[in-house]
Amino acid sequence: MRNSKYNKKNHYEKADPESLRHKRSVKRRRAQRRKKYRRRRIIALAVLLLIIFGIIKLISSIFNKPKDISLDGSLPAWYAGLIYQEKYHDYYRSPKKYVNESEKLLSVYDRASELVKELVPGSNHITTASSYAYDAGLIRKYIRGEATYEDPQKLVFLTFDDGPNTSITPQVLDVLKENDAYATFFVVGKNLSEKTKPVLKRTLMNGNSIATHSFTHEYTDLYPGRVADPAKIIEEYKLTQNRLENLLGEDFKSNVWRYPGGHMSWENTGESDDLLKENGVEWIDWNCLTGDAEPSGRGPKSEAEFVKYLDKTLNKNIHTNVAVVLMHDEQTKTHTVNTLQGVIDYFKERDYKFCVLK
Ligand SMILES: [Zn+2]
């Protein structure tokens, strides 16, 4: 600054043209230098930006690199356990490439929802039903007063005997699904075929459980002279179980049996009970019913009458906090379908949890 003042002063004192030219050329060179520096600064800034951009790209590529599925903390713990088991079989064998984290997470959720719909190996229900599937032997003890159920959560086991078929069973399944309710289906072996296979599969996949109810349902074969034939009973259980395995896969196993006509109706059932038990099978009757198998003319007719019948039979029990309801999904049972909503509402209004037998 001091220099320029000095120069300015000189400029007025001696207006020498030579000196003026020199000053101008110095000014021009300085201006050119400034311009050059400005250009260099711009180039340097651009290079710096490029480097920063490159670093960001590199970091993001490291984090978004397709990698093996890791468990996410937000998944329910019991899902996570299943995914972990599956991980080594599935994802390691055929590693998938994921574009980003959300796509990866969606894929985990998809797989988890498939898993909950898979049969629990060696059981009669899918994974999602595990939270409401109860051991038939234990529930039998409760309804027979051999054990006391202490939990405040009331339990209802809707049961349907004598299916499956392609007319009534699908309608029963529809009503249950609409209500997020579940049931145990006591199937008769002779009704199990390629024709009823889709219905059977749907029964299972909807979160219901499948139990056995003999192969022939013939009282005279199973209980000649009203006396239970243990060998015949176990044979019919095995035949039915085999057919279920053929249709639902070798991992399917039902350990639940209901005597046609009911355990209470026949003599000498002790021996067959033991034989079933030796085969890992538990039997169960019921402690209330809608009366849908009463001979026509004697049984209830309207929905209100069915519910009244149910209420009356349930309240004959000392403890009503565990209800095993007898109903039928045989081909002729249109009234069972038509009154099922009322039955479900009865238990919903009283805060029962819908459960299945395993
Ligand atoms: Zn039956």
Side-chain angles (χ1 to χ4, degrees), residues 2 11 37 77 83 112 139 156 190 200 213 226 271 330:
R2 211 183 299 146
H11 172 78
Y37 288 142
I83 295 158
I139 299 302
V156 59
K190 66 175 180 189
L200 191 71
H213 190 46
R226 301 194 69 81
E271 216 181 305
E330 209 188 340

Side-chain angles (χ1 to χ4, degrees), residues 45-84:
L45 194 68
V47 170
L48 189 69
L49 283 174
L50 267 173
I51 291 169
I52 292 171
F53 182 71
I55 290 170
I56 291 171
K57 273 298 258 185
L58 186 72
I59 291 170
S60 77
S61 77
I62 289 167
F63 282 103
N64 287 332
K65 197 170 72 179
K67 56 190 171 193
D68 162 50
I69 289 296
S70 60
L71 299 179
D72 189 89
S74 65
L75 286 174
W78 66 286
Y79 268 27
L82 292 168
I83 295 158
Y84 187 80

Side-chain angles (χ1 to χ4, degrees), residues 161-162 213 217:
D161 289 8
D162 303 347
H213 190 46
H217 207 281

Side-chain angles (χ1 to χ4, degrees), residues 127-177:
T127 307
T128 192
S130 298
S131 60
Y132 54 84
Y134 288 77
D135 189 72
L138 180 68
I139 299 302
R140 183 186 70 224
K141 283 182 184 148
Y142 290 144
I143 63 171
R144 284 166 65 89
E146 293 164 6
T148 311
Y149 178 74
E150 308 275 7
D151 200 291
Q153 174 63 67
K154 293 190 268 186
L155 311 175
V156 59
F157 298 84
L158 302 178
T159 68
F160 294 91
D161 289 8
D162 303 347
N165 51 65
T166 53
S167 51
I168 297 297
T169 313
Q171 295 183 65
V172 168
L173 292 176
D174 288 344
V175 180
L176 289 172
K177 197 169 166 54

Side-chain angles (χ1 to χ4, degrees), residues 119 123-124 163-164 185-194 196-197 199-201 203-204 209-215 236-257:
L119 177 74
S123 87
N124 65 344
F185 288 78
F186 286 86
V187 300
V188 174
K190 66 175 180 189
N191 295 341
L192 301 169
S193 64
E194 281 302 319
T196 53
K197 184 179 172 178
V199 181
L200 191 71
K201 276 201 143 179
T203 306
L204 190 68
S209 78
I210 295 168
T212 60
H213 190 46
S214 85
F215 191 84
E236 293 217 5
Y237 161 75
K238 284 181 177 170
L239 278 171
T240 308
Q241 165 60 29
N242 277 350
R243 206 165 265 199
L244 285 168
E245 244 177 74
N246 289 341
L247 297 173
L248 297 170
E250 57 180 21
D251 280 345
F252 181 90
K253 174 94 162 71
S254 183
N255 296 321
V256 189
W257 163 270

